[in-house]
Amino acid sequence: ANPSARPAPSSPALIRDLEASGNGNASGWRMHEWMATGALQYSDDSARFSALPSNLYGATWISTPSRATAGMPRSAQFRVGEEADVFVAADTRLQQGPQWLQSYEDTKTFMENSRGDRFSVYRKRFSKDAIVELGPGGNAGTAVAGYTVAVLPVSHIEPAYDLKPVNNYKAIHARLKGPGLGKGLVDGKERAVFTKASADNMVEWDIAVGVADTYSLTVTYNNPHAKTVQGKLALLAADGTLMKEEMVEMTTTRPGKSNYINSSTGSMINAGNYKVRLWAAEAEGVSVNALDVQ
């Protein structure tokens, strides 16, 4: 209806200025859109992706040469068009990954190709317009690259927690603080039990995460009363710095069942050690089974 209408400008490319380090020719390194299984993994080989981590489907990515050839540069670089996470999948047959990957963190996920080769996926976050240096994939004289690069813009959507491993922290192994907390059997399971009301009653878990990410926090509890019990859940750094705090409710639990407090770290946290605290001043008779971190 409006012949003068014009489309909005295209979004800036996520991978920009891809070039081989030193001579400006990155013919062996090729940028692609929409990473998916079935795509050719390398620029000079017939191997195809057969399995990818779920978060990398649809990513912008770079195929590399699989082997060194005469005169080929051994490294490349590119610029990220916006704040982005750069993923590098390195061959697990290498006893140690390339030295230039030491500043990347291991995501504990894997990529596979049609030959059955398996690749550990590493990640590092880069700010907008930062230069990403790509080095050789193996030892001198062997693979010039032999890895795969994927790039995703930083997302603030909470991740799919159910795709991650679960770390379970039993309440009976946590620190039980306050005059009204002890250990007892509930439905045949040993749990932390609130024996009397006190504002000082607190369950404190020490947790550890190995990868910078957003994590879900799930507390399993049993409330035998007809009324909902109020509490407070907090995440703290190892030095005691408060990172997140929220009010929570512990609703009535049916006989033989458990209820859950579902929360999360709220934002990405770095790999390291943290504390999770649960306070409940009026929770007499309520029991806590465990904290799951996923």
Side-chain angles (χ1 to χ4, degrees):
N2 181 2
S4 64
R6 294 292 181 267
S10 60
S11 301
L14 193 56
I15 296 175
R16 303 169 59 187
D17 306 328
L18 175 63
E19 61 181 26
S21 299
N23 68 0
N25 177 13
S27 59
W29 283 262
R30 297 174 185 169
M31 189 190 81
H32 308 269
E33 297 290 350
W34 203 263
M35 173 176 273
T37 51
L40 289 169
Q41 181 178 11
Y42 301 117
S43 60
D44 61 352
D45 192 88
S46 61
R48 296 179 180 271
F49 296 124
S50 61
L52 299 172
S54 61
N55 61 314
L56 295 187
Y57 279 90
T60 302
W61 63 287
I62 298 172
S63 60
T64 69
S66 65
R67 304 290 297 178
T69 58
M72 178 182 289
R74 292 182 54 78
S75 59
Q77 66 179 34
F78 66 92
R79 185 190 306 274
V80 289
E82 60 182 280
E83 186 180 18
D85 288 324
V86 175
F87 299 83
V88 178
D91 199 320
T92 57
R93 290 174 296 184
L94 296 173
Q95 292 185 350
Q96 293 183 339
Q99 183 64 35
W100 59 275
L101 275 181
Q102 296 307 305
S103 62
Y104 286 64
E105 60 182 352
D106 189 349
T107 66
K108 310 298 182 183
T109 59
F110 299 91
M111 186 181 292
E112 295 180 4
N113 67 20
S114 54
R115 291 201 179 96
D117 299 333
R118 190 171 168 87
F119 302 80
S120 294
V121 179
Y122 299 85
R123 179 184 62 184
K124 185 175 180 179
R125 180 159 293 182
F126 290 84
S127 58
K128 181 179 178 179
D129 291 328
I131 299 295
V132 181
E133 297 282 353
L134 306 176
N139 298 322
T142 58
V144 64
Y147 55 81
T148 300
V149 179
V151 184
L152 289 174
V154 171
S155 172
H156 300 289
I157 298 174
E158 291 202 358
Y161 300 114
D162 57 344
L163 299 177
K164 303 177 184 177
V166 179
N167 289 320
N168 180 268
Y169 299 87
K170 296 295 185 184
I172 58 171
H173 299 142
R175 280 183 290 276
L176 307 180
K177 299 182 179 181
L181 264 175
K183 298 178 181 179
L185 289 176
V186 178
D187 295 332
K189 297 180 181 179
E190 194 172 10
R191 300 179 180 231
V193 181
F194 290 84
T195 57
K196 65 178 181 179
S198 171
D200 296 325
N201 290 339
M202 179 182 70
V203 183
E204 181 180 79
W205 291 272
D206 291 324
I207 68 170
V209 297
V211 177
D213 212 335
T214 304
Y215 290 83
S216 68
L217 305 173
T218 304
V219 178
T220 311
Y221 69 89
N222 182 288
N223 175 12
H225 305 303
K227 67 175 183 179
T228 296
V229 173
Q230 304 295 321
K232 184 168 62 175
L233 189 70
L235 172 70
L236 301 96
D239 63 1
T241 302
L242 180 64
M243 303 181 68
K244 183 185 178 184
E245 185 176 83
E246 63 181 315
M247 300 304 297
V248 296
E249 292 185 340
M250 289 178 274
T251 57
T252 303
T253 306
R254 291 180 295 171
K257 302 294 183 179
S258 293
N259 283 14
Y260 304 91
I261 297 171
N262 295 305
S263 185
S264 74
T265 57
S267 59
M268 180 179 289
I269 60 174
N270 292 323
N273 299 310
Y274 298 86
K275 300 178 188 295
V276 176
R277 292 175 178 171
L278 174 65
W279 288 271
E282 304 294 332
E284 182 176 349
V286 173
S287 62
V288 179
N289 181 28
L291 166 70
D292 287 339
V293 179
Q294 186 173 21

mmCIF file of all heavy atoms in Angstrom, residues 96-143:
data_model
loop_
_atom_site.group_PDB
_atom_site.id
_atom_site.type_symbol
_atom_site.label_atom_id
_atom_site.label_comp_id
_atom_site.label_asym_id
_atom_site.label_seq_id
_atom_site.Cartn_x
_atom_site.Cartn_y
_atom_site.Cartn_z
ATOM 1 N N GLN A 96 45.871 -33.074 25.129
ATOM 2 C CA GLN A 96 45.638 -31.726 25.629
ATOM 3 C C GLN A 96 45.167 -30.879 24.457
ATOM 4 O O GLN A 96 45.655 -30.999 23.344
ATOM 5 C CB GLN A 96 46.900 -31.116 26.237
ATOM 6 C CG GLN A 96 47.360 -31.806 27.514
ATOM 7 C CD GLN A 96 48.576 -31.119 28.107
ATOM 8 O OE1 GLN A 96 49.291 -30.404 27.420
ATOM 9 N NE2 GLN A 96 48.802 -31.337 29.383
ATOM 10 N N GLY A 97 44.181 -30.024 24.711
ATOM 11 C CA GLY A 97 43.699 -29.154 23.653
ATOM 12 C C GLY A 97 44.766 -28.159 23.253
ATOM 13 O O GLY A 97 45.791 -28.006 23.924
ATOM 14 N N PRO A 98 44.574 -27.458 22.133
ATOM 15 C CA PRO A 98 45.540 -26.443 21.711
ATOM 16 C C PRO A 98 45.797 -25.418 22.810
ATOM 17 O O PRO A 98 44.895 -25.067 23.573
ATOM 18 C CB PRO A 98 44.840 -25.805 20.499
ATOM 19 C CG PRO A 98 43.890 -26.845 20.004
ATOM 20 C CD PRO A 98 43.431 -27.590 21.218
ATOM 21 N N GLN A 99 47.024 -24.932 22.871
ATOM 22 C CA GLN A 99 47.416 -24.001 23.928
ATOM 23 C C GLN A 99 46.557 -22.742 23.923
ATOM 24 O O GLN A 99 46.220 -22.204 24.973
ATOM 25 C CB GLN A 99 48.897 -23.637 23.769
ATOM 26 C CG GLN A 99 49.453 -22.733 24.861
ATOM 27 C CD GLN A 99 49.448 -23.387 26.227
ATOM 28 O OE1 GLN A 99 49.659 -24.598 26.346
ATOM 29 N NE2 GLN A 99 49.206 -22.614 27.267
ATOM 30 N N TRP A 100 46.165 -22.269 22.742
ATOM 31 C CA TRP A 100 45.395 -21.030 22.660
ATOM 32 C C TRP A 100 43.989 -21.176 23.230
ATOM 33 O O TRP A 100 43.287 -20.178 23.434
ATOM 34 C CB TRP A 100 45.337 -20.525 21.227
ATOM 35 C CG TRP A 100 44.736 -21.467 20.229
ATOM 36 C CD1 TRP A 100 45.370 -22.478 19.558
ATOM 37 C CD2 TRP A 100 43.376 -21.491 19.785
ATOM 38 N NE1 TRP A 100 44.496 -23.135 18.724
ATOM 39 C CE2 TRP A 100 43.264 -22.546 18.839
ATOM 40 C CE3 TRP A 100 42.245 -20.729 20.081
ATOM 41 C CZ2 TRP A 100 42.068 -22.857 18.199
ATOM 42 C CZ3 TRP A 100 41.047 -21.032 19.449
ATOM 43 C CH2 TRP A 100 40.967 -22.088 18.526
ATOM 44 N N LEU A 101 43.563 -22.418 23.517
ATOM 45 C CA LEU A 101 42.241 -22.640 24.112
ATOM 46 C C LEU A 101 42.268 -22.645 25.640
ATOM 47 O O LEU A 101 41.228 -22.861 26.262
ATOM 48 C CB LEU A 101 41.666 -23.979 23.623
ATOM 49 C CG LEU A 101 40.935 -23.981 22.285
ATOM 50 C CD1 LEU A 101 40.412 -25.377 21.967
ATOM 51 C CD2 LEU A 101 39.794 -22.981 22.289
ATOM 52 N N GLN A 102 43.428 -22.408 26.223
ATOM 53 C CA GLN A 102 43.524 -22.495 27.677
ATOM 54 C C GLN A 102 42.642 -21.470 28.387
ATOM 55 O O GLN A 102 42.229 -21.681 29.531
ATOM 56 C CB GLN A 102 44.983 -22.319 28.125
ATOM 57 C CG GLN A 102 45.920 -23.412 27.638
ATOM 58 C CD GLN A 102 45.428 -24.808 27.996
ATOM 59 O OE1 GLN A 102 45.176 -25.110 29.154
ATOM 60 N NE2 GLN A 102 45.274 -25.655 26.983
ATOM 61 N N SER A 103 42.359 -20.348 27.741
ATOM 62 C CA SER A 103 41.511 -19.335 28.380
ATOM 63 C C SER A 103 40.019 -19.617 28.184
ATOM 64 O O SER A 103 39.169 -18.887 28.719
ATOM 65 C CB SER A 103 41.842 -17.948 27.820
ATOM 66 O OG SER A 103 41.584 -17.885 26.420
ATOM 67 N N TYR A 104 39.687 -20.661 27.429
ATOM 68 C CA TYR A 104 38.286 -21.056 27.238
ATOM 69 C C TYR A 104 37.894 -22.040 28.338
ATOM 70 O O TYR A 104 38.735 -22.729 28.910
ATOM 71 C CB TYR A 104 38.099 -21.730 25.884
ATOM 72 C CG TYR A 104 38.128 -20.801 24.684
ATOM 73 C CD1 TYR A 104 39.279 -20.094 24.349
ATOM 74 C CD2 TYR A 104 37.013 -20.650 23.878
ATOM 75 C CE1 TYR A 104 39.322 -19.242 23.247
ATOM 76 C CE2 TYR A 104 37.034 -19.812 22.761
ATOM 77 C CZ TYR A 104 38.199 -19.115 22.453
ATOM 78 O OH TYR A 104 38.229 -18.287 21.361
ATOM 79 N N GLU A 105 36.595 -22.127 28.623
ATOM 80 C CA GLU A 105 36.122 -23.074 29.629
ATOM 81 C C GLU A 105 35.449 -24.264 28.951
ATOM 82 O O GLU A 105 34.832 -24.136 27.902
ATOM 83 C CB GLU A 105 35.153 -22.400 30.590
ATOM 84 C CG GLU A 105 33.915 -21.840 29.925
ATOM 85 C CD GLU A 105 33.015 -21.135 30.903
ATOM 86 O OE1 GLU A 105 33.286 -21.211 32.109
ATOM 87 O OE2 GLU A 105 32.043 -20.501 30.458
ATOM 88 N N ASP A 106 35.596 -25.410 29.579
ATOM 89 C CA ASP A 106 35.013 -26.649 29.065
ATOM 90 C C ASP A 106 33.528 -26.673 29.397
ATOM 91 O O ASP A 106 33.137 -26.620 30.558
ATOM 92 C CB ASP A 106 35.721 -27.841 29.710
ATOM 93 C CG ASP A 106 35.345 -29.167 29.077
ATOM 94 O OD1 ASP A 106 34.392 -29.203 28.274
ATOM 95 O OD2 ASP A 106 36.000 -30.175 29.399
ATOM 96 N N THR A 107 32.660 -26.754 28.367
ATOM 97 C CA THR A 107 31.218 -26.769 28.602
ATOM 98 C C THR A 107 30.703 -28.150 29.000
ATOM 99 O O THR A 107 29.518 -28.300 29.316
ATOM 100 C CB THR A 107 30.453 -26.319 27.351
ATOM 101 O OG1 THR A 107 30.645 -27.292 26.304
ATOM 102 C CG2 THR A 107 30.930 -24.952 26.879
ATOM 103 N N LYS A 108 31.557 -29.163 28.946
ATOM 104 C CA LYS A 108 31.182 -30.547 29.250
ATOM 105 C C LYS A 108 30.168 -31.103 28.242
ATOM 106 O O LYS A 108 29.445 -32.057 28.527
ATOM 107 C CB LYS A 108 30.626 -30.681 30.668
ATOM 108 C CG LYS A 108 31.478 -30.050 31.745
ATOM 109 C CD LYS A 108 32.848 -30.678 31.849
ATOM 110 C CE LYS A 108 33.658 -30.055 32.984
ATOM 111 N NZ LYS A 108 35.024 -30.597 33.073
ATOM 112 N N THR A 109 30.109 -30.503 27.060
ATOM 113 C CA THR A 109 29.260 -31.018 25.993
ATOM 114 C C THR A 109 30.145 -31.435 24.824
ATOM 115 O O THR A 109 31.333 -31.095 24.779
ATOM 116 C CB THR A 109 28.237 -29.973 25.518
ATOM 117 O OG1 THR A 109 28.918 -28.804 25.033
ATOM 118 C CG2 THR A 109 27.313 -29.571 26.648
ATOM 119 N N PHE A 110 29.549 -32.163 23.852
ATOM 120 C CA PHE A 110 30.351 -32.760 22.785
ATOM 121 C C PHE A 110 29.665 -32.624 21.430
ATOM 122 O O PHE A 110 28.450 -32.493 21.320
ATOM 123 C CB PHE A 110 30.609 -34.244 23.077
ATOM 124 C CG PHE A 110 31.373 -34.488 24.349
ATOM 125 C CD1 PHE A 110 30.696 -34.673 25.539
ATOM 126 C CD2 PHE A 110 32.760 -34.492 24.340
ATOM 127 C CE1 PHE A 110 31.395 -34.876 26.721
ATOM 128 C CE2 PHE A 110 33.465 -34.692 25.518
ATOM 129 C CZ PHE A 110 32.784 -34.885 26.707
ATOM 130 N N MET A 111 30.513 -32.685 20.411
ATOM 131 C CA MET A 111 30.092 -32.677 19.015
ATOM 132 C C MET A 111 30.656 -33.947 18.383
ATOM 133 O O MET A 111 31.748 -34.398 18.749
ATOM 134 C CB MET A 111 30.659 -31.419 18.344
ATOM 135 C CG MET A 111 30.215 -31.150 16.936
ATOM 136 S SD MET A 111 31.017 -29.634 16.301
ATOM 137 C CE MET A 111 30.247 -28.377 17.328
ATOM 138 N N GLU A 112 29.941 -34.534 17.426
ATOM 139 C CA GLU A 112 30.426 -35.736 16.757
ATOM 140 C C GLU A 112 30.230 -35.587 15.250
ATOM 141 O O GLU A 112 29.365 -34.829 14.802
ATOM 142 C CB GLU A 112 29.674 -36.978 17.254
ATOM 143 C CG GLU A 112 29.913 -37.288 18.727
ATOM 144 C CD GLU A 112 29.154 -38.517 19.186
ATOM 145 O OE1 GLU A 112 28.498 -39.167 18.339
ATOM 146 O OE2 GLU A 112 29.209 -38.823 20.391
ATOM 147 N N ASN A 113 31.064 -36.335 14.488
ATOM 148 C CA ASN A 113 30.890 -36.313 13.034
ATOM 149 C C ASN A 113 30.614 -37.707 12.501
ATOM 150 O O ASN A 113 30.586 -38.695 13.257
ATOM 151 C CB ASN A 113 32.082 -35.649 12.340
ATOM 152 C CG ASN A 113 33.382 -36.442 12.465
ATOM 153 O OD1 ASN A 113 33.368 -37.640 12.747
ATOM 154 N ND2 ASN A 113 34.504 -35.775 12.248
ATOM 155 N N SER A 114 30.410 -37.793 11.186
ATOM 156 C CA SER A 114 29.990 -39.046 10.555
ATOM 157 C C SER A 114 31.050 -40.130 10.611
ATOM 158 O O SER A 114 30.754 -41.296 10.323
ATOM 159 C CB SER A 114 29.593 -38.773 9.098
ATOM 160 O OG SER A 114 30.644 -38.104 8.411
ATOM 161 N N ARG A 115 32.284 -39.778 10.951
ATOM 162 C CA ARG A 115 33.340 -40.784 11.094
ATOM 163 C C ARG A 115 33.411 -41.324 12.524
ATOM 164 O O ARG A 115 34.243 -42.165 12.827
ATOM 165 C CB ARG A 115 34.695 -40.180 10.709
ATOM 166 C CG ARG A 115 34.828 -39.871 9.232
ATOM 167 C CD ARG A 115 36.292 -39.774 8.852
ATOM 168 N NE ARG A 115 36.420 -39.497 7.435
ATOM 169 C CZ ARG A 115 36.573 -38.287 6.918
ATOM 170 N NH1 ARG A 115 36.638 -37.240 7.717
ATOM 171 N NH2 ARG A 115 36.671 -38.118 5.613
ATOM 172 N N GLY A 116 32.590 -40.797 13.405
ATOM 173 C CA GLY A 116 32.636 -41.209 14.803
ATOM 174 C C GLY A 116 33.632 -40.418 15.629
ATOM 175 O O GLY A 116 33.856 -40.744 16.801
ATOM 176 N N ASP A 117 34.246 -39.374 15.030
ATOM 177 C CA ASP A 117 35.158 -38.519 15.792
ATOM 178 C C ASP A 117 34.351 -37.688 16.781
ATOM 179 O O ASP A 117 33.238 -37.236 16.478
ATOM 180 C CB ASP A 117 35.945 -37.585 14.868
ATOM 181 C CG ASP A 117 36.800 -38.351 13.881
ATOM 182 O OD1 ASP A 117 37.196 -39.489 14.202
ATOM 183 O OD2 ASP A 117 37.062 -37.825 12.773
ATOM 184 N N ARG A 118 34.938 -37.451 17.942
ATOM 185 C CA ARG A 118 34.243 -36.752 19.029
ATOM 186 C C ARG A 118 35.046 -35.508 19.404
ATOM 187 O O ARG A 118 36.277 -35.544 19.446
ATOM 188 C CB ARG A 118 34.114 -37.709 20.230
ATOM 189 C CG ARG A 118 33.207 -37.234 21.356
ATOM 190 C CD ARG A 118 33.046 -38.399 22.325
ATOM 191 N NE ARG A 118 32.436 -38.031 23.583
ATOM 192 C CZ ARG A 118 31.134 -37.996 23.812
ATOM 193 N NH1 ARG A 118 30.300 -38.298 22.842
ATOM 194 N NH2 ARG A 118 30.655 -37.667 25.002
ATOM 195 N N PHE A 119 34.335 -34.420 19.691
ATOM 196 C CA PHE A 119 34.977 -33.131 19.939
ATOM 197 C C PHE A 119 34.432 -32.516 21.227
ATOM 198 O O PHE A 119 33.211 -32.410 21.406
ATOM 199 C CB PHE A 119 34.727 -32.174 18.769
ATOM 200 C CG PHE A 119 35.214 -32.695 17.443
ATOM 201 C CD1 PHE A 119 34.458 -33.613 16.719
ATOM 202 C CD2 PHE A 119 36.442 -32.292 16.932
ATOM 203 C CE1 PHE A 119 34.909 -34.111 15.508
ATOM 204 C CE2 PHE A 119 36.903 -32.783 15.728
ATOM 205 C CZ PHE A 119 36.138 -33.698 15.013
ATOM 206 N N SER A 120 35.327 -32.112 22.106
ATOM 207 C CA SER A 120 34.938 -31.386 23.316
ATOM 208 C C SER A 120 34.666 -29.933 22.950
ATOM 209 O O SER A 120 35.421 -29.326 22.190
ATOM 210 C CB SER A 120 36.048 -31.455 24.371
ATOM 211 O OG SER A 120 36.232 -32.773 24.826
ATOM 212 N N VAL A 121 33.601 -29.377 23.504
ATOM 213 C CA VAL A 121 33.198 -28.015 23.168
ATOM 214 C C VAL A 121 33.613 -27.062 24.289
ATOM 215 O O VAL A 121 33.250 -27.256 25.451
ATOM 216 C CB VAL A 121 31.680 -27.932 22.927
ATOM 217 C CG1 VAL A 121 31.269 -26.491 22.604
ATOM 218 C CG2 VAL A 121 31.271 -28.866 21.789
ATOM 219 N N TYR A 122 34.361 -26.023 23.910
ATOM 220 C CA TYR A 122 34.839 -25.006 24.848
ATOM 221 C C TYR A 122 34.178 -23.666 24.520
ATOM 222 O O TYR A 122 33.751 -23.431 23.383
ATOM 223 C CB TYR A 122 36.361 -24.865 24.757
ATOM 224 C CG TYR A 122 37.100 -26.140 25.092
ATOM 225 C CD1 TYR A 122 37.325 -27.114 24.116
ATOM 226 C CD2 TYR A 122 37.554 -26.385 26.379
ATOM 227 C CE1 TYR A 122 37.981 -28.297 24.418
ATOM 228 C CE2 TYR A 122 38.223 -27.564 26.689
ATOM 229 C CZ TYR A 122 38.437 -28.507 25.715
ATOM 230 O OH TYR A 122 39.084 -29.676 26.015
ATOM 231 N N ARG A 123 34.112 -22.783 25.501
ATOM 232 C CA ARG A 123 33.401 -21.511 25.303
ATOM 233 C C ARG A 123 34.149 -20.353 25.958
ATOM 234 O O ARG A 123 34.763 -20.491 27.011
ATOM 235 C CB ARG A 123 32.002 -21.587 25.917
ATOM 236 C CG ARG A 123 31.199 -20.292 25.780
ATOM 237 C CD ARG A 123 29.866 -20.387 26.477
ATOM 238 N NE ARG A 123 30.007 -20.591 27.903
ATOM 239 C CZ ARG A 123 28.994 -20.792 28.728
ATOM 240 N NH1 ARG A 123 27.759 -20.850 28.250
ATOM 241 N NH2 ARG A 123 29.200 -20.963 30.023
ATOM 242 N N LYS A 124 34.054 -19.192 25.305
ATOM 243 C CA LYS A 124 34.581 -17.946 25.872
ATOM 244 C C LYS A 124 33.712 -16.793 25.391
ATOM 245 O O LYS A 124 33.286 -16.765 24.244
ATOM 246 C CB LYS A 124 36.035 -17.731 25.430
ATOM 247 C CG LYS A 124 36.703 -16.519 26.076
ATOM 248 C CD LYS A 124 38.170 -16.438 25.687
ATOM 249 C CE LYS A 124 38.858 -15.248 26.321
ATOM 250 N NZ LYS A 124 40.294 -15.167 25.968
ATOM 251 N N ARG A 125 33.454 -15.843 26.281
ATOM 252 C CA ARG A 125 32.622 -14.685 25.933
ATOM 253 C C ARG A 125 33.504 -13.518 25.489
ATOM 254 O O ARG A 125 34.517 -13.219 26.118
ATOM 255 C CB ARG A 125 31.752 -14.275 27.117
ATOM 256 C CG ARG A 125 30.853 -13.070 26.855
ATOM 257 C CD ARG A 125 29.690 -13.017 27.822
ATOM 258 N NE ARG A 125 28.776 -14.127 27.590
ATOM 259 C CZ ARG A 125 27.640 -14.312 28.267
ATOM 260 N NH1 ARG A 125 27.289 -13.459 29.215
ATOM 261 N NH2 ARG A 125 26.863 -15.348 27.994
ATOM 262 N N PHE A 126 33.077 -12.858 24.404
ATOM 263 C CA PHE A 126 33.810 -11.722 23.861
ATOM 264 C C PHE A 126 32.873 -10.509 23.776
ATOM 265 O O PHE A 126 31.689 -10.645 23.463
ATOM 266 C CB PHE A 126 34.349 -12.031 22.459
ATOM 267 C CG PHE A 126 35.474 -13.038 22.443
ATOM 268 C CD1 PHE A 126 35.199 -14.397 22.448
ATOM 269 C CD2 PHE A 126 36.800 -12.622 22.436
ATOM 270 C CE1 PHE A 126 36.228 -15.330 22.430
ATOM 271 C CE2 PHE A 126 37.837 -13.547 22.423
ATOM 272 C CZ PHE A 126 37.553 -14.897 22.428
ATOM 273 N N SER A 127 33.409 -9.335 24.029
ATOM 274 C CA SER A 127 32.631 -8.103 23.929
ATOM 275 C C SER A 127 32.498 -7.692 22.458
ATOM 276 O O SER A 127 33.222 -8.185 21.587
ATOM 277 C CB SER A 127 33.290 -6.988 24.731
ATOM 278 O OG SER A 127 34.619 -6.763 24.272
ATOM 279 N N LYS A 128 31.575 -6.792 22.180
ATOM 280 C CA LYS A 128 31.345 -6.331 20.809
ATOM 281 C C LYS A 128 32.628 -5.762 20.200
ATOM 282 O O LYS A 128 33.371 -5.040 20.867
ATOM 283 C CB LYS A 128 30.252 -5.260 20.813
ATOM 284 C CG LYS A 128 29.913 -4.726 19.434
ATOM 285 C CD LYS A 128 28.814 -3.684 19.498
ATOM 286 C CE LYS A 128 28.515 -3.132 18.114
ATOM 287 N NZ LYS A 128 27.433 -2.117 18.141
ATOM 288 N N ASP A 129 32.898 -6.120 18.959
ATOM 289 C CA ASP A 129 34.051 -5.680 18.175
ATOM 290 C C ASP A 129 35.378 -6.278 18.644
ATOM 291 O O ASP A 129 36.446 -5.891 18.141
ATOM 292 C CB ASP A 129 34.168 -4.149 18.162
ATOM 293 C CG ASP A 129 33.047 -3.495 17.363
ATOM 294 O OD1 ASP A 129 32.593 -4.108 16.385
ATOM 295 O OD2 ASP A 129 32.628 -2.381 17.728
ATOM 296 N N ALA A 130 35.339 -7.226 19.571
ATOM 297 C CA ALA A 130 36.578 -7.880 20.011
ATOM 298 C C ALA A 130 37.125 -8.778 18.901
ATOM 299 O O ALA A 130 36.376 -9.325 18.081
ATOM 300 C CB ALA A 130 36.335 -8.698 21.272
ATOM 301 N N ILE A 131 38.446 -8.938 18.865
ATOM 302 C CA ILE A 131 39.107 -9.807 17.899
ATOM 303 C C ILE A 131 39.264 -11.197 18.510
ATOM 304 O O ILE A 131 39.749 -11.343 19.634
ATOM 305 C CB ILE A 131 40.492 -9.259 17.510
ATOM 306 C CG1 ILE A 131 40.360 -7.887 16.861
ATOM 307 C CG2 ILE A 131 41.219 -10.232 16.579
ATOM 308 C CD1 ILE A 131 39.627 -7.901 15.539
ATOM 309 N N VAL A 132 38.838 -12.217 17.777
ATOM 310 C CA VAL A 132 38.976 -13.613 18.211
ATOM 311 C C VAL A 132 40.096 -14.249 17.404
ATOM 312 O O VAL A 132 40.027 -14.303 16.171
ATOM 313 C CB VAL A 132 37.670 -14.392 18.007
ATOM 314 C CG1 VAL A 132 37.839 -15.832 18.479
ATOM 315 C CG2 VAL A 132 36.516 -13.707 18.736
ATOM 316 N N GLU A 133 41.120 -14.706 18.078
ATOM 317 C CA GLU A 133 42.267 -15.350 17.428
ATOM 318 C C GLU A 133 42.061 -16.865 17.397
ATOM 319 O O GLU A 133 41.782 -17.488 18.427
ATOM 320 C CB GLU A 133 43.558 -15.031 18.181
ATOM 321 C CG GLU A 133 43.923 -13.556 18.208
ATOM 322 C CD GLU A 133 44.548 -13.084 16.905
ATOM 323 O OE1 GLU A 133 44.817 -13.951 16.040
ATOM 324 O OE2 GLU A 133 44.754 -11.865 16.762
ATOM 325 N N LEU A 134 42.198 -17.464 16.222
ATOM 326 C CA LEU A 134 42.082 -18.907 16.049
ATOM 327 C C LEU A 134 43.452 -19.468 15.716
ATOM 328 O O LEU A 134 44.055 -19.074 14.722
ATOM 329 C CB LEU A 134 41.097 -19.239 14.929
ATOM 330 C CG LEU A 134 39.691 -18.631 15.045
ATOM 331 C CD1 LEU A 134 38.873 -18.984 13.809
ATOM 332 C CD2 LEU A 134 38.993 -19.124 16.310
ATOM 333 N N GLY A 135 43.933 -20.390 16.519
ATOM 334 C CA GLY A 135 45.249 -20.958 16.300
ATOM 335 C C GLY A 135 45.190 -22.307 15.625
ATOM 336 O O GLY A 135 44.133 -22.762 15.180
ATOM 337 N N PRO A 136 46.316 -22.996 15.542
ATOM 338 C CA PRO A 136 46.352 -24.341 14.950
ATOM 339 C C PRO A 136 45.622 -25.338 15.834
ATOM 340 O O PRO A 136 45.519 -25.167 17.041
ATOM 341 C CB PRO A 136 47.848 -24.649 14.865
ATOM 342 C CG PRO A 136 48.471 -23.776 15.918
ATOM 343 C CD PRO A 136 47.649 -22.534 15.970
ATOM 344 N N GLY A 137 45.099 -26.389 15.192
ATOM 345 C CA GLY A 137 44.320 -27.360 15.948
ATOM 346 C C GLY A 137 45.139 -28.454 16.574
ATOM 347 O O GLY A 137 44.724 -29.072 17.552
ATOM 348 N N GLY A 138 46.318 -28.756 16.023
ATOM 349 C CA GLY A 138 47.117 -29.845 16.547
ATOM 350 C C GLY A 138 48.576 -29.470 16.620
ATOM 351 O O GLY A 138 48.931 -28.294 16.705
ATOM 352 N N ASN A 139 49.436 -30.454 16.570
ATOM 353 C CA ASN A 139 50.868 -30.207 16.627
ATOM 354 C C ASN A 139 51.391 -29.722 15.277
ATOM 355 O O ASN A 139 50.775 -29.938 14.232
ATOM 356 C CB ASN A 139 51.605 -31.492 17.020
ATOM 357 C CG ASN A 139 51.181 -31.971 18.393
ATOM 358 O OD1 ASN A 139 50.968 -31.172 19.291
ATOM 359 N ND2 ASN A 139 51.044 -33.286 18.542
ATOM 360 N N ALA A 140 52.530 -29.061 15.289
ATOM 361 C CA ALA A 140 53.137 -28.564 14.054
ATOM 362 C C ALA A 140 53.321 -29.720 13.070
ATOM 363 O O ALA A 140 53.761 -30.805 13.440
ATOM 364 C CB ALA A 140 54.473 -27.907 14.364
ATOM 365 N N GLY A 141 52.951 -29.499 11.824
ATOM 366 C CA GLY A 141 53.129 -30.515 10.790
ATOM 367 C C GLY A 141 51.978 -31.479 10.668
ATOM 368 O O GLY A 141 51.965 -32.318 9.785
ATOM 369 N N THR A 142 50.972 -31.376 11.582
ATOM 370 C CA THR A 142 49.809 -32.272 11.456
ATOM 371 C C THR A 142 48.601 -31.421 11.109
ATOM 372 O O THR A 142 48.575 -30.778 10.087
ATOM 373 C CB THR A 142 49.596 -33.064 12.757
ATOM 374 O OG1 THR A 142 49.404 -32.141 13.848
ATOM 375 C CG2 THR A 142 50.818 -33.908 13.077
ATOM 376 N N ALA A 143 47.583 -31.424 11.952
ATOM 377 C CA ALA A 143 46.364 -30.686 11.636
ATOM 378 C C ALA A 143 46.603 -29.194 11.748
ATOM 379 O O ALA A 143 47.102 -28.714 12.747
ATOM 380 C CB ALA A 143 45.239 -31.110 12.576
#
